[in-house]
Amino acid sequence: EYFYRQEELWVEVELSHISGTNVIVQSNRIKNAGKETKKITRFSSASVDHIFYGEDRKWYANPEIRIHICHSKWQGEGQWRAYKPAELGLYPGSVHGAERASYKIQSVGSWSTGNFYPMTVAEDGKKGCVWYLEMEGANNWYIKLCAYGGYAKPDFSMEASGCDESNGGWHYDLKPGETYGAQRAFWGVAAGGFEEATKNLNDFKRADCLVRCPPYGMPLVFNDYMDCVWLDQRPETLFPLIDRAAQVGCEVFCIDGGWCENKYGEGLGDWLPAKSLYTEYTLEEVAGNIRAKGMIPGIWTELETCTPTAAGAGICEEAVLRRYDNRIGGEKWFYNFCREEVREYLLERVDALYRMGFRYIKNDYNHSLGIGCTNNYGGDSPAEGMIRNHDAFLDFMEELYRRYPDLMLENCGSGGLRSENKTLRRFMLQSISDQELYKNNPSILMGSIAVLPPEKAGIWVYPYPTVFADYKDFLPDRRYLESMADGKQTAFNLICGLMGTMYLSGRIDLCDSYNLSLIKQGVSLYKKNRKEIMRSRPVYPTGIYNMNEKELC
């Protein structure tokens, strides 16, 4: 630890290290040692200076420097691209030492990985070394690359921050005697290149994780949503899938969106079974059927959101998040997790599901808070309100583990749109995408296992797929069944699932005996290899390919 003191503001920097990892964790705190409130408008999490340094050749004259950036979008996550610094506008142009140029990747909102993953890898192929920097927090953030010094004193740095007025309007009134802590960042330098950077970061994330997967590896989950029954969860559609999932060796059967009253309309946020669906059988009886087939019952939720008519939205005056007195959202509002009444209400709802027999929860997050909220703390910065609410939500997740030690929690941020490390430290599994076209999955998975440990990467595998546009009228006619008969689509899907944690779906209740045998083979291979996956790392002998590229990889 060390301190920086200037007048009445003191900054404390804590650098920590987990043995066996090549990553430094930086935690910055700022204290008001004066007698008057200070308005803070920028506070960085980390700055890594003098990268690409060398006397033999200036960085701008080195043709082997590459900046690796991970782009993201819904159903298009994990898209890595390597840039020369000049392609990002980073190049000297004068002899003035005060010259500087910068390039930012950034995010505004609670979908923290919706446009970029908060990580930069800076590789010097000539020297054979690589620098890396990553930021935490489901809130506004940026990572800035800065070239400065012109031709006279050329230098290069990386900075990470989640607290900056210029990025989402963050500010904070620091009262006398008060200390404020920035979001964590972590960084390092290593011999090698991109693969070594991702190895070191994934080693750290495994060691830093607050939730451990079972010693045998992640269980094999069947989920009824993606390319399967989607929202049509009548017991008559579920029971054949439950039977077939058990037959191929699944260990968890997760009922996804559509079970509650209901996903897109009235009642979201109260987590009650839809009366129109559960007439002949109750939801608890469906869970019992799953248990009777030797699998753990799982269920989908979106605990942070509710519809305006949800009972939970009215349990107290500030039950939902507001910005300048206006509730945030349209058809969906956001629960205020800083309110004890909200947390207690949702604990009751989770407890009801637990008593029905559910031991696995897939928690989704399908909307962003925008610039944030202002009614959950005593200030007026929406960006700070967003940080407070996310911290309170993560505390709620930890409370669930304390109350229910055998509960497994999966994170889904409308796919991979909220999957930074601060969130994932509290979850066993991350749904890496909502991608429903199986040929796009290799690109997403090869990029995703560079930013999160492979055993946390839940990869959709959906033999006999039904895309969303067709699911309501889906009828497997002779042409469809013949197109699946050679097993190629099934094999392609299963191989993708072997690169992380297999997450099975699709209309496997319709498959023929040959495809059924392939699914069983894939499941058997996954179970055989999953302990190895828990200590594996990605290698890219032919490089990383992005979506819509047709290459052998």
Side-chain angles (χ1 to χ4, degrees):
E1 296 184 11
Y2 66 91
F3 293 89
Y4 172 76
R5 301 184 182 188
Q6 183 178 14
E7 297 178 350
E8 296 172 340
L9 290 177
W10 300 357
V11 173
E12 178 187 29
V13 176
E14 178 185 340
L15 303 177
S16 59
H17 173 256
I18 298 176
S19 178
T21 69
N22 192 33
V23 170
I24 294 170
V25 183
Q26 183 162 340
S27 301
N28 294 347
R29 293 176 287 273
I30 185 168
K31 180 178 180 179
N32 184 352
K35 298 180 180 180
E36 297 181 356
T37 296
K38 304 288 187 181
K39 183 174 285 292
I40 311 298
T41 57
R42 181 182 180 214
F43 189 40
S44 294
S45 291
S47 181
V48 183
D49 299 327
H50 311 306
I51 67 175
F52 304 139
Y53 180 79
E55 297 294 338
D56 55 333
R57 176 179 285 189
K58 308 302 184 185
W59 69 264
Y60 58 82
N62 184 346
E64 297 184 50
I65 287 178
R66 293 293 183 272
I67 307 296
H68 300 269
I69 294 172
C70 185
H71 297 259
S72 181
K73 63 181 287 293
W74 186 60
Q75 296 200 21
E77 300 85 346
Q79 303 298 288
W80 283 94
R81 285 176 171 81
Y83 299 92
K84 297 178 181 179
E87 292 174 329
L88 303 177
L90 303 174
Y91 52 87
S94 77
V95 295
H96 295 281
E99 180 197 289
R100 65 180 51 236
S102 64
Y103 176 83
K104 284 183 179 179
I105 60 171
Q106 58 191 354
S107 175
V108 174
S110 50
W111 270 350
S112 51
T113 53
N115 295 306
F116 300 97
Y117 190 84
M119 167 180 166
T120 297
V121 175
E123 180 178 2
D124 184 343
K126 180 177 176 61
K127 292 184 179 178
C129 61
V130 62
W131 290 259
Y132 37 90
L133 172 63
E134 186 165 336
M135 182 71 198
E136 284 192 330
N139 48 262
N140 307 336
W141 62 264
Y142 69 75
I143 293 179
K144 180 170 70 173
L145 303 164
C146 188
Y148 52 96
Y151 296 116
K153 298 179 180 180
D155 214 334
F156 207 100
S157 68
M158 299 188 292
E159 179 202 358
S161 178
C163 301
D164 195 311
E165 190 174 46
S166 68
N167 185 56
W170 180 89
H171 60 266
Y172 189 78
D173 291 329
L174 193 65
K175 298 178 177 58
E178 184 181 7
T179 298
Y180 181 89
Q183 303 280 36
R184 292 196 318 174
F186 40 94
W187 48 273
V189 60
F194 179 81
E195 288 183 9
E196 283 67 35
T198 60
K199 173 192 181 299
N200 289 328
L201 288 167
N202 273 342
D203 285 347
F204 163 73
K205 291 169 188 174
R206 282 176 170 135
D208 184 60
C209 188
L210 298 176
V211 183
R212 303 296 176 197
C213 63
Y216 61 82
M218 281 302 298
L220 178 64
V221 179
F222 185 93
N223 183 295
D224 66 23
Y225 185 71
M226 186 65 68
D227 284 18
C228 193
V229 300
W230 296 94
L231 307 176
D232 183 18
Q233 292 180 324
R234 294 163 294 155
E236 56 265 35
T237 63
L238 286 183
F239 287 153
L241 283 168
I242 292 169
D243 290 343
R244 183 53 60 89
Q247 185 181 0
V248 301
C250 293
E251 294 154 314
V252 176
F253 189 98
C254 183
I255 300 170
D256 207 283
W259 68 270
C260 58
E261 190 83 49
N262 65 38
K263 183 176 182 182
Y264 293 117
E266 302 301 319
L268 179 69
D270 293 326
W271 310 115
L272 300 171
K275 296 177 182 177
S276 59
L277 284 179
Y278 299 98
T279 54
E280 186 177 353
Y281 300 94
T282 66
L283 180 61
E284 185 173 5
E285 288 173 329
V286 174
N289 182 275
I290 295 170
R291 181 76 67 181
K293 296 296 169 61
M295 297 181 291
I296 297 170
I299 200 158
W300 173 93
T301 62
E302 194 176 344
L303 292 172
E304 292 158 89
T305 60
C306 63
T307 57
T309 56
I315 58 176
C316 65
E317 180 66 22
E318 301 295 339
V320 297
L321 296 176
R322 302 171 187 256
R323 184 163 59 243
Y324 311 133
D325 294 328
N326 298 312
R327 294 180 180 88
I328 301 171
E331 66 177 19
K332 284 185 181 180
W333 293 346
F334 294 85
Y335 277 128
N336 182 355
F337 275 81
C338 294
R339 298 289 302 202
E340 183 179 355
E341 300 95 326
V342 169
R343 297 193 301 271
E344 287 300 321
Y345 178 76
L346 290 173
L347 281 171
E348 291 174 2
R349 302 314 313 144
V350 172
D351 187 67
L353 294 172
Y354 188 87
R355 283 186 278 107
M356 289 183 192
F358 292 100
R359 298 294 184 269
Y360 184 99
I361 291 179
K362 173 185 177 180
N363 189 66
D364 214 336
Y365 190 73
N366 286 312
H367 291 75
S368 172
L369 270 176
I371 64 170
C373 52
T374 53
N375 67 324
N376 62 344
Y377 85 110
D380 62 353
S381 169
E384 177 62 21
M386 179 161 45
I387 293 172
R388 300 287 181 104
N389 198 67
H390 185 238
D391 285 347
F393 167 71
L394 295 180
D395 288 343
F396 179 81
M397 292 293 102
E398 293 183 30
E399 175 65 19
L400 291 184
Y401 286 119
R402 287 191 292 270
R403 291 196 179 205
Y404 313 109
D406 59 342
L407 186 64
M408 294 180 282
L409 296 175
E410 170 197 341
N411 184 63
C412 179
S414 207
L417 303 187
R418 187 183 66 174
S419 58
E420 36 62 54
N421 187 64
K422 185 174 182 179
T423 300
L424 286 195
R425 293 179 75 207
R426 278 87 173 175
F427 289 89
M428 295 176 64
L429 189 67
Q430 168 67 43
S431 177
I432 63 171
S433 182
D434 276 347
Q435 178 57 243
E436 58 193 285
L437 304 176
Y438 74 96
K439 289 183 180 179
N440 286 338
N441 275 328
S443 169
I444 293 171
L445 75 89
M446 72 170 64
S448 295
I449 59 176
V451 299
L452 56 97
E455 68 273 16
K456 279 201 172 186
I459 301 168
W460 286 108
V461 172
Y462 26 68
Y464 281 72
T466 314
V467 295
F468 185 77
D470 300 333
Y471 86 93
K472 289 185 178 180
D473 302 315
F474 178 70
L475 186 64
D477 56 17
R478 182 175 58 84
R479 179 185 298 179
Y480 177 90
L481 295 174
E482 287 178 352
S483 71
M484 299 296 296
D486 62 7
K488 289 183 178 180
Q489 224 183 108
T490 299
F492 192 104
N493 269 282
L494 290 162
I495 288 170
C496 288
L498 296 174
M499 305 298 169
T501 288
M502 184 178 291
Y503 201 72
L504 192 61
S505 191
R507 292 302 303 271
I508 63 173
D509 54 315
L510 303 174
C511 68
D512 56 42
S513 59
Y514 177 57
N515 279 275
L516 179 63
S517 70
L518 291 176
I519 295 171
K520 289 180 176 179
Q521 286 183 52
V523 167
S524 176
L525 276 171
Y526 168 70
K527 290 181 176 179
K528 178 182 177 182
N529 293 334
R530 60 184 166 185
K531 287 187 71 173
E532 186 72 17
I533 290 170
M534 293 168 63
R535 61 186 187 91
S536 70
R537 67 182 180 100
V539 293
Y540 303 98
T542 61
I544 294 181
Y545 293 105
N546 289 314
M547 197 171 292
N548 303 316
E549 294 180 335
K550 294 185 178 181
E551 300 287 348
L552 178 67
C553 59

